[in-house]
Amino acid sequence: MITGPQVRAARALLGIDQKTLAELAGLSVPTIQRMEASHANVRGVVDSLTRVVAALELAGVELIADGAASTAGGRGVRLKTPPPGP
């Protein structure tokens, strides 16, 4: 699955706005906004999620699942699990 923060981060890495991502994925801007507003896994129509993931990957972003290894190479960033609170 993909999370709202992942979508926002992927857009930032690509330097594109929500409108551009919507165009690349063939979706509406409000759909992208709803996806990005999610704090956890994005819920919605599977076809829409698939389109966003495909658009981001085609544009050059590798989406890495929690605990998965990145095998594609290249530079990037990964959000670490925050340390346990006091």
Side-chain angles (χ1 to χ4, degrees):
M1 294 301 292
I2 187 171
T3 66
Q6 275 182 298
V7 176
R8 289 190 306 274
R11 274 195 315 100
L13 285 170
L14 293 170
I16 61 174
D17 59 12
Q18 290 176 331
K19 182 180 181 210
T20 302
L21 178 55
E23 291 169 355
L24 292 172
L27 299 169
S28 68
V29 173
T31 297
I32 300 300
Q33 290 170 335
R34 280 192 299 276
M35 288 180 175
E36 289 189 2
S38 174
H39 297 291
N41 288 338
V42 175
R43 297 183 198 187
V45 179
V46 173
D47 182 58
S48 296
L49 296 172
T50 302
R51 286 177 179 220
V52 168
V53 169
L56 292 171
E57 290 180 347
L58 187 61
V61 169
E62 177 188 6
L63 297 168
I64 306 169
D66 189 25
S70 172
T71 58
R75 292 181 286 167
V77 296
R78 181 179 203 130
L79 185 62
K80 296 191 307 185
T81 303

PDB file of all heavy atoms in Angstrom, residues 2-23:
ATOM      1  N   ILE A   2       0.289   2.352  -0.316  1.00  0.00           N
ATOM      2  CA  ILE A   2       0.977   3.638  -0.348  1.00  0.00           C
ATOM      3  C   ILE A   2       0.291   4.574   0.646  1.00  0.00           C
ATOM      4  O   ILE A   2      -0.920   4.498   0.843  1.00  0.00           O
ATOM      5  CB  ILE A   2       0.977   4.231  -1.779  1.00  0.00           C
ATOM      6  CG1 ILE A   2       1.839   5.494  -1.858  1.00  0.00           C
ATOM      7  CG2 ILE A   2      -0.425   4.466  -2.279  1.00  0.00           C
ATOM      8  CD1 ILE A   2       2.047   5.992  -3.265  1.00  0.00           C
ATOM      9  N   THR A   3       1.066   5.429   1.269  1.00  0.00           N
ATOM     10  CA  THR A   3       0.501   6.355   2.246  1.00  0.00           C
ATOM     11  C   THR A   3       0.458   7.767   1.660  1.00  0.00           C
ATOM     12  O   THR A   3       1.168   8.078   0.697  1.00  0.00           O
ATOM     13  CB  THR A   3       1.342   6.382   3.540  1.00  0.00           C
ATOM     14  OG1 THR A   3       2.629   6.931   3.242  1.00  0.00           O
ATOM     15  CG2 THR A   3       1.485   4.988   4.145  1.00  0.00           C
ATOM     16  N   GLY A   4      -0.365   8.612   2.280  1.00  0.00           N
ATOM     17  CA  GLY A   4      -0.440  10.008   1.871  1.00  0.00           C
ATOM     18  C   GLY A   4       0.911  10.692   1.924  1.00  0.00           C
ATOM     19  O   GLY A   4       1.304  11.380   0.965  1.00  0.00           O
ATOM     20  N   PRO A   5       1.663  10.533   3.030  1.00  0.00           N
ATOM     21  CA  PRO A   5       2.992  11.152   3.085  1.00  0.00           C
ATOM     22  C   PRO A   5       3.938  10.650   1.982  1.00  0.00           C
ATOM     23  O   PRO A   5       4.762  11.407   1.489  1.00  0.00           O
ATOM     24  CB  PRO A   5       3.509  10.768   4.473  1.00  0.00           C
ATOM     25  CG  PRO A   5       2.259  10.647   5.291  1.00  0.00           C
ATOM     26  CD  PRO A   5       1.259  10.017   4.349  1.00  0.00           C
ATOM     27  N   GLN A   6       3.807   9.377   1.583  1.00  0.00           N
ATOM     28  CA  GLN A   6       4.639   8.867   0.501  1.00  0.00           C
ATOM     29  C   GLN A   6       4.324   9.583  -0.814  1.00  0.00           C
ATOM     30  O   GLN A   6       5.229   9.904  -1.581  1.00  0.00           O
ATOM     31  CB  GLN A   6       4.426   7.363   0.297  1.00  0.00           C
ATOM     32  CG  GLN A   6       5.256   6.479   1.187  1.00  0.00           C
ATOM     33  CD  GLN A   6       5.012   5.020   0.872  1.00  0.00           C
ATOM     34  OE1 GLN A   6       3.890   4.536   1.014  1.00  0.00           O
ATOM     35  NE2 GLN A   6       6.038   4.334   0.452  1.00  0.00           N
ATOM     36  N   VAL A   7       3.043   9.811  -1.066  1.00  0.00           N
ATOM     37  CA  VAL A   7       2.652  10.494  -2.301  1.00  0.00           C
ATOM     38  C   VAL A   7       3.218  11.913  -2.303  1.00  0.00           C
ATOM     39  O   VAL A   7       3.803  12.361  -3.296  1.00  0.00           O
ATOM     40  CB  VAL A   7       1.119  10.513  -2.479  1.00  0.00           C
ATOM     41  CG1 VAL A   7       0.731  11.311  -3.720  1.00  0.00           C
ATOM     42  CG2 VAL A   7       0.560   9.099  -2.568  1.00  0.00           C
ATOM     43  N   ARG A   8       3.070  12.620  -1.180  1.00  0.00           N
ATOM     44  CA  ARG A   8       3.593  13.984  -1.091  1.00  0.00           C
ATOM     45  C   ARG A   8       5.114  14.006  -1.272  1.00  0.00           C
ATOM     46  O   ARG A   8       5.663  14.857  -1.967  1.00  0.00           O
ATOM     47  CB  ARG A   8       3.206  14.626   0.249  1.00  0.00           C
ATOM     48  CG  ARG A   8       1.726  14.952   0.343  1.00  0.00           C
ATOM     49  CD  ARG A   8       1.401  15.807   1.559  1.00  0.00           C
ATOM     50  NE  ARG A   8       1.848  15.268   2.823  1.00  0.00           N
ATOM     51  CZ  ARG A   8       1.167  14.399   3.570  1.00  0.00           C
ATOM     52  NH1 ARG A   8      -0.013  13.958   3.168  1.00  0.00           N
ATOM     53  NH2 ARG A   8       1.643  13.979   4.729  1.00  0.00           N
ATOM     54  N   ALA A   9       5.799  13.064  -0.616  1.00  0.00           N
ATOM     55  CA  ALA A   9       7.263  13.002  -0.715  1.00  0.00           C
ATOM     56  C   ALA A   9       7.700  12.669  -2.139  1.00  0.00           C
ATOM     57  O   ALA A   9       8.676  13.250  -2.643  1.00  0.00           O
ATOM     58  CB  ALA A   9       7.810  11.968   0.265  1.00  0.00           C
ATOM     59  N   ALA A  10       6.995  11.772  -2.778  1.00  0.00           N
ATOM     60  CA  ALA A  10       7.338  11.408  -4.157  1.00  0.00           C
ATOM     61  C   ALA A  10       7.177  12.609  -5.077  1.00  0.00           C
ATOM     62  O   ALA A  10       8.035  12.863  -5.930  1.00  0.00           O
ATOM     63  CB  ALA A  10       6.453  10.252  -4.624  1.00  0.00           C
ATOM     64  N   ARG A  11       6.102  13.356  -4.883  1.00  0.00           N
ATOM     65  CA  ARG A  11       5.908  14.566  -5.690  1.00  0.00           C
ATOM     66  C   ARG A  11       7.034  15.563  -5.461  1.00  0.00           C
ATOM     67  O   ARG A  11       7.546  16.179  -6.393  1.00  0.00           O
ATOM     68  CB  ARG A  11       4.573  15.245  -5.365  1.00  0.00           C
ATOM     69  CG  ARG A  11       3.411  14.741  -6.093  1.00  0.00           C
ATOM     70  CD  ARG A  11       2.203  15.652  -6.015  1.00  0.00           C
ATOM     71  NE  ARG A  11       1.874  16.199  -4.715  1.00  0.00           N
ATOM     72  CZ  ARG A  11       2.179  17.426  -4.303  1.00  0.00           C
ATOM     73  NH1 ARG A  11       2.838  18.259  -5.079  1.00  0.00           N
ATOM     74  NH2 ARG A  11       1.812  17.845  -3.093  1.00  0.00           N
ATOM     75  N   ALA A  12       7.426  15.710  -4.191  1.00  0.00           N
ATOM     76  CA  ALA A  12       8.504  16.646  -3.853  1.00  0.00           C
ATOM     77  C   ALA A  12       9.816  16.227  -4.519  1.00  0.00           C
ATOM     78  O   ALA A  12      10.548  17.074  -5.046  1.00  0.00           O
ATOM     79  CB  ALA A  12       8.679  16.736  -2.341  1.00  0.00           C
ATOM     80  N   LEU A  13      10.115  14.934  -4.501  1.00  0.00           N
ATOM     81  CA  LEU A  13      11.340  14.454  -5.146  1.00  0.00           C
ATOM     82  C   LEU A  13      11.323  14.731  -6.644  1.00  0.00           C
ATOM     83  O   LEU A  13      12.359  15.021  -7.243  1.00  0.00           O
ATOM     84  CB  LEU A  13      11.523  12.954  -4.908  1.00  0.00           C
ATOM     85  CG  LEU A  13      11.980  12.544  -3.517  1.00  0.00           C
ATOM     86  CD1 LEU A  13      11.881  11.033  -3.353  1.00  0.00           C
ATOM     87  CD2 LEU A  13      13.399  13.012  -3.259  1.00  0.00           C
ATOM     88  N   LEU A  14      10.153  14.640  -7.231  1.00  0.00           N
ATOM     89  CA  LEU A  14      10.020  14.883  -8.670  1.00  0.00           C
ATOM     90  C   LEU A  14       9.896  16.365  -9.008  1.00  0.00           C
ATOM     91  O   LEU A  14      10.043  16.755 -10.166  1.00  0.00           O
ATOM     92  CB  LEU A  14       8.799  14.142  -9.217  1.00  0.00           C
ATOM     93  CG  LEU A  14       8.882  12.619  -9.190  1.00  0.00           C
ATOM     94  CD1 LEU A  14       7.524  12.014  -9.518  1.00  0.00           C
ATOM     95  CD2 LEU A  14       9.953  12.124 -10.154  1.00  0.00           C
ATOM     96  N   GLY A  15       9.573  17.176  -7.990  1.00  0.00           N
ATOM     97  CA  GLY A  15       9.386  18.601  -8.223  1.00  0.00           C
ATOM     98  C   GLY A  15       8.119  18.912  -9.014  1.00  0.00           C
ATOM     99  O   GLY A  15       8.117  19.821  -9.838  1.00  0.00           O
ATOM    100  N   ILE A  16       7.066  18.130  -8.772  1.00  0.00           N
ATOM    101  CA  ILE A  16       5.805  18.357  -9.482  1.00  0.00           C
ATOM    102  C   ILE A  16       4.701  18.709  -8.497  1.00  0.00           C
ATOM    103  O   ILE A  16       4.784  18.401  -7.311  1.00  0.00           O
ATOM    104  CB  ILE A  16       5.383  17.130 -10.330  1.00  0.00           C
ATOM    105  CG1 ILE A  16       5.152  15.886  -9.453  1.00  0.00           C
ATOM    106  CG2 ILE A  16       6.422  16.846 -11.415  1.00  0.00           C
ATOM    107  CD1 ILE A  16       4.590  14.686 -10.197  1.00  0.00           C
ATOM    108  N   ASP A  17       3.668  19.358  -8.992  1.00  0.00           N
ATOM    109  CA  ASP A  17       2.538  19.715  -8.147  1.00  0.00           C
ATOM    110  C   ASP A  17       1.423  18.680  -8.295  1.00  0.00           C
ATOM    111  O   ASP A  17       1.539  17.718  -9.068  1.00  0.00           O
ATOM    112  CB  ASP A  17       2.037  21.126  -8.467  1.00  0.00           C
ATOM    113  CG  ASP A  17       1.589  21.296  -9.920  1.00  0.00           C
ATOM    114  OD1 ASP A  17       1.441  20.294 -10.651  1.00  0.00           O
ATOM    115  OD2 ASP A  17       1.381  22.451 -10.324  1.00  0.00           O
ATOM    116  N   GLN A  18       0.356  18.874  -7.517  1.00  0.00           N
ATOM    117  CA  GLN A  18      -0.754  17.928  -7.542  1.00  0.00           C
ATOM    118  C   GLN A  18      -1.407  17.856  -8.917  1.00  0.00           C
ATOM    119  O   GLN A  18      -1.808  16.779  -9.357  1.00  0.00           O
ATOM    120  CB  GLN A  18      -1.796  18.301  -6.486  1.00  0.00           C
ATOM    121  CG  GLN A  18      -1.316  18.075  -5.074  1.00  0.00           C
ATOM    122  CD  GLN A  18      -2.317  18.534  -4.035  1.00  0.00           C
ATOM    123  OE1 GLN A  18      -3.100  19.448  -4.265  1.00  0.00           O
ATOM    124  NE2 GLN A  18      -2.277  17.898  -2.873  1.00  0.00           N
ATOM    125  N   LYS A  19      -1.500  18.981  -9.588  1.00  0.00           N
ATOM    126  CA  LYS A  19      -2.124  19.003 -10.919  1.00  0.00           C
ATOM    127  C   LYS A  19      -1.338  18.140 -11.898  1.00  0.00           C
ATOM    128  O   LYS A  19      -1.911  17.379 -12.673  1.00  0.00           O
ATOM    129  CB  LYS A  19      -2.222  20.436 -11.427  1.00  0.00           C
ATOM    130  CG  LYS A  19      -2.891  20.534 -12.775  1.00  0.00           C
ATOM    131  CD  LYS A  19      -2.984  21.961 -13.260  1.00  0.00           C
ATOM    132  CE  LYS A  19      -3.679  21.981 -14.612  1.00  0.00           C
ATOM    133  NZ  LYS A  19      -3.251  23.055 -15.451  1.00  0.00           N
ATOM    134  N   THR A  20      -0.022  18.249 -11.850  1.00  0.00           N
ATOM    135  CA  THR A  20       0.819  17.462 -12.755  1.00  0.00           C
ATOM    136  C   THR A  20       0.687  15.976 -12.457  1.00  0.00           C
ATOM    137  O   THR A  20       0.565  15.159 -13.379  1.00  0.00           O
ATOM    138  CB  THR A  20       2.287  17.914 -12.653  1.00  0.00           C
ATOM    139  OG1 THR A  20       2.360  19.305 -12.954  1.00  0.00           O
ATOM    140  CG2 THR A  20       3.173  17.132 -13.602  1.00  0.00           C
ATOM    141  N   LEU A  21       0.693  15.603 -11.177  1.00  0.00           N
ATOM    142  CA  LEU A  21       0.522  14.193 -10.830  1.00  0.00           C
ATOM    143  C   LEU A  21      -0.844  13.695 -11.296  1.00  0.00           C
ATOM    144  O   LEU A  21      -0.950  12.588 -11.828  1.00  0.00           O
ATOM    145  CB  LEU A  21       0.683  13.964  -9.319  1.00  0.00           C
ATOM    146  CG  LEU A  21       0.476  12.524  -8.850  1.00  0.00           C
ATOM    147  CD1 LEU A  21       1.387  11.540  -9.589  1.00  0.00           C
ATOM    148  CD2 LEU A  21       0.678  12.425  -7.340  1.00  0.00           C
ATOM    149  N   ALA A  22      -1.867  14.499 -11.098  1.00  0.00           N
ATOM    150  CA  ALA A  22      -3.202  14.120 -11.552  1.00  0.00           C
ATOM    151  C   ALA A  22      -3.203  13.861 -13.057  1.00  0.00           C
ATOM    152  O   ALA A  22      -3.771  12.866 -13.536  1.00  0.00           O
ATOM    153  CB  ALA A  22      -4.216  15.191 -11.183  1.00  0.00           C
ATOM    154  N   GLU A  23      -2.547  14.731 -13.818  1.00  0.00           N
ATOM    155  CA  GLU A  23      -2.473  14.559 -15.266  1.00  0.00           C
ATOM    156  C   GLU A  23      -1.705  13.300 -15.633  1.00  0.00           C
ATOM    157  O   GLU A  23      -2.121  12.547 -16.519  1.00  0.00           O
ATOM    158  CB  GLU A  23      -1.825  15.789 -15.914  1.00  0.00           C
ATOM    159  CG  GLU A  23      -2.697  17.023 -15.851  1.00  0.00           C
ATOM    160  CD  GLU A  23      -1.967  18.299 -16.255  1.00  0.00           C
ATOM    161  OE1 GLU A  23      -0.734  18.256 -16.512  1.00  0.00           O
ATOM    162  OE2 GLU A  23      -2.633  19.353 -16.295  1.00  0.00           O
TER     163      GLU A  23
END
